[in-house]
Amino acid sequence: MKKVTGIGGIFFKCKNPQAMNEWYKTHLGFNTTEHGTSFEWRNADDHTQKGITQWAPFTENTKYFEPSTKDFMINYRVENLEALVDALRKESVTILDNIETFDYGKFVHILDIEGNKIQLWEPFD
């Protein structure tokens, strides 16, 4: 079973997300919105398939990364999220919530061995 297929997003805390978005737009050419930016790329195995990696600053007091105390969270793209979550449970990995489904994919959060919150995403590409 394939597990992680790539990085789906990088999320980090900062004092002023709006200013951070503007700085990256001005100095590094990011096409930012209030939610950060998306980098589009092509699948290496099938060049007709597109994918995205999301970059997003969050306020420094966000609760979204909890229970982790870290200032970042990485989102990994996966295939077959349900099967992966079942396998992770059998391996005694901490699963923080139930799988949720949105228009753009399925999500669940886990913790690694150092308490870093990780978001797993099965996109609907």
Side-chain angles (χ1 to χ4, degrees):
M1 167 179 71
K2 270 191 174 180
K3 292 186 178 184
V4 170
T5 62
I7 295 177
I10 299 171
F11 312 125
F12 61 95
K13 295 179 183 180
C14 63
K15 293 184 187 313
N16 185 333
Q18 184 178 5
M20 189 68 76
N21 278 328
E22 201 54 42
W23 189 92
Y24 275 84
K25 180 184 275 187
T26 300
H27 299 290
L28 296 180
F30 283 27
N31 184 21
T32 57
T33 70
E34 65 182 292
H35 303 293
T37 193
S38 297
F39 295 98
E40 187 174 288
W41 43 267
R42 299 280 178 174
N43 184 311
D45 297 328
D46 180 354
H47 296 290
T48 64
Q49 289 185 341
K50 292 181 187 177
I52 63 162
T53 300
Q54 182 68 28
W55 175 92
F58 284 74
T59 60
E60 64 185 339
N61 60 354
T62 185
K63 305 274 185 228
Y64 191 56
F65 298 1
E66 290 182 359
S68 175
T69 59
K70 304 296 173 65
D71 290 339
F72 66 90
M73 181 173 65
I74 298 176
N75 166 299
Y76 292 107
R77 295 171 62 97
V78 302
E79 288 185 8
N80 196 345
L81 186 58
E82 286 89 0
L84 179 55
V85 168
D86 287 343
L88 294 174
R89 275 196 181 100
K90 291 175 186 167
E91 296 165 357
S92 299
V93 171
T94 302
I95 312 294
L96 294 174
D97 46 22
N98 294 316
I99 295 172
E100 291 191 57
T101 303
F102 299 91
D103 293 343
Y104 42 90
K106 298 176 187 176
F107 295 86
V108 75
H109 297 93
I110 65 172
L111 289 178
D112 70 14
I113 62 170
E114 291 197 2
N116 297 306
K117 187 174 180 181
I118 297 167
Q119 187 176 64
L120 301 177
W121 171 39
E122 181 183 342
F124 298 144
D125 291 334

